[in-house]
Amino acid sequence: MKKLILLFTLIVHFSFAQELKWETIPLDVKTSIRGMSVVNDSVAWISGSGGYVAQTLNGGVEWVQKQIPGFEKSEFRSLYAFSATSAIVANSGAPANILITNDGGLNWRIVYSNENKDAFFDGIDFWNDKEGIIYGDPIEGKMLLLRTHDGGQHWEEIKNSPKLDEGEASFAASGTGIRCLKNNSVVIATGGKVSRLWNSNDKGLHWNFIPSPMIHGESSTGIFSISFWDEKKANIVGGDYLKDSLSIDHNFYTLNGGKSWLRPISPTRGYRECVEYVDEKLMIATGPSGTDISNDGGLTWAPLSNEKSFHVVRKARSGSLIILAGNSKVAILKIK
């Protein structure tokens, strides 16, 4: 197991007497990490460019990094882990492949492949250990959409997938443009010429859309990440990745399930690729230019770190561990 060196520690004190400890850890391989799944306070997986997948079993202190044989030039931007032994990854770009491991990443098996030149996976999520959904950019005008009922062993295409407008697609920036919610719901974000949220209440069989005020109109603009606390409270972040300091229509929150969107009193500092609820009030948003924090559910944002080149932040599905990842590094956040 490869041991990594602690770079620095940042302590942030909150007015409500909580302490947030930030520890940045370098990886000893060159990879741009976009996919992440934090199972619990011990187990997490990350994936990125160069065909790399890495796993920790001790809360991010140490990582085992491996290239998947035959995929050394692939970018694994979509990832979902079930446990220390089982995980699924999908690459961006054609051919679009979904791979699964059941032995902790020692061996991987292709369970789906799409040779279409436009095939491109953007994100994956699960309602439970058996039922999940993965989506991608449009093929012949319709969103690439697949569903599994057996934990990712087999995938079937959803024929009634959303028909997207010309120039409307999604961003595989952090794998958080899709979120599976309670009551069989799923929400998917799009951007480009049009930026909106597509919603299904029956696990992807039927769809409608929720308009968003997010900046759009160019291929580099739109919603890059969504996060829900419940069916009513949600945040969206994004902007223009070609103008990452632009702070116009890039950050919104809703208290009524998207019927109306509100601008923060103080927004994030420009383009952000990922947003995550830690609890009902505490949120983290990150992107290439820095990381921001909100203590009031997205009403106001403040700088957390100026450290650059992070792409994704996720909280443990079971537990309190928070991990950020980016260009050949991870950061571990602990709340005391």
Side-chain angles (χ1 to χ4, degrees):
M1 183 174 287
K2 301 176 181 178
K3 294 188 177 180
L4 306 175
I5 302 172
L6 178 67
L7 280 185
F8 66 86
T9 299
L10 175 68
I11 303 292
V12 178
H13 294 278
F14 295 104
S15 59
F16 48 88
Q18 278 189 321
E19 221 177 63
L20 184 62
K21 183 180 180 182
W22 172 303
E23 300 175 354
T24 299
I25 301 171
L27 302 178
D28 55 6
V29 296
K30 186 176 181 180
T31 181
S32 176
I33 303 162
R34 306 286 183 149
M36 182 190 295
S37 189
V38 186
V39 179
N40 52 44
D41 285 344
S42 298
V43 178
W45 297 66
I46 54 177
S47 62
S49 60
Y52 279 103
V53 177
Q55 180 201 55
T56 181
L57 301 178
N58 57 9
V61 177
E62 298 168 311
W63 294 83
V64 175
Q65 308 146 51
K66 296 178 181 178
Q67 280 181 305
I68 298 180
F71 290 88
E72 291 82 3
K73 295 183 179 180
S74 295
E75 293 202 24
F76 290 118
R77 296 192 171 199
S78 299
L79 166 67
Y80 189 91
F82 301 98
S83 66
T85 56
S86 299
I88 295 171
V89 293
N91 66 289
S92 59
N97 298 293
I98 302 174
L99 295 83
I100 190 168
T101 181
N102 295 116
D103 58 10
L106 295 177
N107 297 282
W108 294 85
R109 175 170 57 92
I110 299 174
V111 291
Y112 174 86
S113 186
N114 192 320
E115 299 285 340
N116 191 294
K117 63 180 180 60
D118 295 322
F120 190 107
F121 285 125
D122 293 305
I124 183 173
D125 204 5
F126 275 73
W127 289 279
N128 50 60
D129 284 349
K130 296 295 183 182
E131 297 175 290
I133 189 167
I134 189 169
Y135 83 108
D137 286 352
I139 297 177
E140 297 181 352
K142 296 187 67 177
M143 183 185 291
L144 175 60
L145 202 58
L146 310 173
R147 193 168 63 163
T148 180
H149 297 281
D150 58 8
Q153 302 293 333
H154 302 88
W155 295 84
E156 61 182 14
E157 293 190 23
I158 297 176
K159 300 300 182 182
N160 190 34
S161 62
K163 185 176 181 181
L164 305 184
D165 287 353
E166 184 176 355
E168 179 183 9
S170 292
F171 299 104
S174 64
T176 56
I178 182 172
R179 300 282 187 166
C180 288
L181 309 175
K182 296 179 180 179
N183 300 323
N184 301 327
S185 296
V186 58
V187 179
I188 293 175
T190 61
K193 295 291 185 180
V194 179
S195 185
R196 48 187 168 176
L197 295 173
W198 287 92
N199 175 63
S200 170
N201 294 318
D202 55 10
K203 296 184 177 178
L205 296 181
H206 300 89
W207 295 86
N208 53 58
F209 68 85
I210 303 170
S212 89
M214 185 69 67
I215 185 173
H216 61 276
E218 303 293 335
S219 60
S220 56
T221 60
I223 303 171
F224 281 71
S225 177
I226 55 178
S227 186
F228 286 79
W229 175 250
D230 53 30
E231 293 182 350
K232 299 295 184 182
K233 297 177 182 178
N235 271 254
I236 54 176
V237 300
D240 187 339
Y241 73 79
L242 295 180
K243 303 173 183 177
D244 63 8
S245 63
L246 185 67
S247 297
I248 299 174
D249 294 341
H250 69 294
N251 176 200
F252 296 89
Y253 69 99
T254 181
L255 301 176
N256 57 14
K259 293 179 181 178
S260 60
W261 292 95
L262 303 170
R263 286 181 173 84
I265 294 174
S266 55
T268 61
R269 295 169 296 163
Y271 162 67
R272 291 293 178 258
E273 289 178 321
C274 190
V275 61
E276 183 85 335
Y277 276 94
V278 177
D279 58 34
E280 188 173 5
K281 296 295 184 181
L282 182 60
M283 304 189 69
I284 308 290
T286 195
S289 64
T291 301
D292 301 305
I293 188 168
S294 173
N295 293 323
D296 51 23
L299 175 64
T300 59
W301 291 86
L304 174 61
S305 172
N306 292 322
E307 188 175 354
K308 299 182 184 299
S309 301
F310 284 103
H311 302 298
V312 57
V313 53
R314 301 301 299 267
K315 176 185 176 292
R317 295 198 303 273
S318 176
S320 60
L321 179 64
I322 306 163
I323 301 179
L324 293 93
N327 293 348
S328 298
K329 62 183 177 181
V330 298
I332 311 302
L333 299 184
K334 295 182 179 179
I335 299 175
K336 296 183 178 180

